[in-house]
């Protein structure tokens, strides 16, 4: 997988920068794989609801720290989220615009289906 380095005007020399796939490299099967895991879907749902950046520590998951790191990495490497360091915090945001442009309606339908599933299983 070819990746591009994401930088912002807030980056300073020596700052840690994470690799993200270019939108043209994001594949449907990779996005679906990333969304198929319940913990990763939970992360995506929280980011979608926040409509902005959230740190990793804000989204509580019932798994170890190393497993959390793995889930965030899968989401980033498959083009579902962007991650950027702000000081010592790793901030996460859903790549909604990129995903909507590539796969119109996919994220919205997945989020709706997850809500319906919750209602069905909890009710």
């Amino acid at each position: 997988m070819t990746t591009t380095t994401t930088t912002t005007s807030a980056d300073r020399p020596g700052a840690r920068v994470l690799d993200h796939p270019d939108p043209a490299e994001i594949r449907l099967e990779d996005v679906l794989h990333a969304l198929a895991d319940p913990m990763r879907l939970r992360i995506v749902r929280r980011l979608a609801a926040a409509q902005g950046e959230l740190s990793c520590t804000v989204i509580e998951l019932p798994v170890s720290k190393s497993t959390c790191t793995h889930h965030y990495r899968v989401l980033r490497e498959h083009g579902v989220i962007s991650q950027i360091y702000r000081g010592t915090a790793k901030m996460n945001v859903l790549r909604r615009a990129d995903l909507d442009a590539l796969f119109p309606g996919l994220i919205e339908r997945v989020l709706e289906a997850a809500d319906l599933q919750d209602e069905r299983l909890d009710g």
Side-chain angles (χ1 to χ4, degrees):
M1 170 171 85
T2 305
T3 56
T4 58
T5 301
T6 302
T7 58
T8 68
S9 59
D11 291 334
R12 35 182 216 287
R16 292 186 286 179
V17 178
L18 299 164
D19 287 332
H20 296 79
D22 205 39
E25 297 169 333
I26 298 172
R27 299 182 51 90
L28 177 61
E29 56 270 25
D30 291 338
V31 172
L32 293 174
H33 167 75
L35 296 173
D37 182 90
M39 292 300 115
R40 293 193 291 263
L41 183 56
R42 182 185 292 193
I43 293 167
V44 169
R45 291 174 77 184
R46 284 292 311 277
L47 291 173
Q51 298 180 353
E53 293 181 352
L54 291 178
S55 71
C56 295
T57 58
V58 171
I59 302 172
E60 294 183 26
L61 300 175
V63 296
S64 69
K65 185 176 179 180
S66 63
T67 301
C68 284
T69 300
H70 165 75
H71 288 309
Y72 281 101
R73 187 180 73 245
V74 169
L75 289 167
R76 177 176 46 82
E77 288 177 350
H78 290 11
V80 178
I81 66 170
S82 288
Q83 293 185 302
I84 186 169
Y85 281 99
R86 299 215 186 277
T88 58
K90 191 184 293 184
M91 303 302 291
N92 306 279
V93 66
L94 183 62
R95 291 181 68 174
R96 188 144 201 174
D98 288 337
L99 295 170
D100 285 345
L102 293 166
F103 316 111
L106 176 67
I107 292 298
E108 192 60 36
R109 298 295 84 77
V110 167
L111 294 170
E112 287 174 5
D115 288 342
L116 289 170
Q117 176 174 275
D118 283 352
E119 291 173 15
R120 181 175 51 86
L121 296 177
D122 293 338

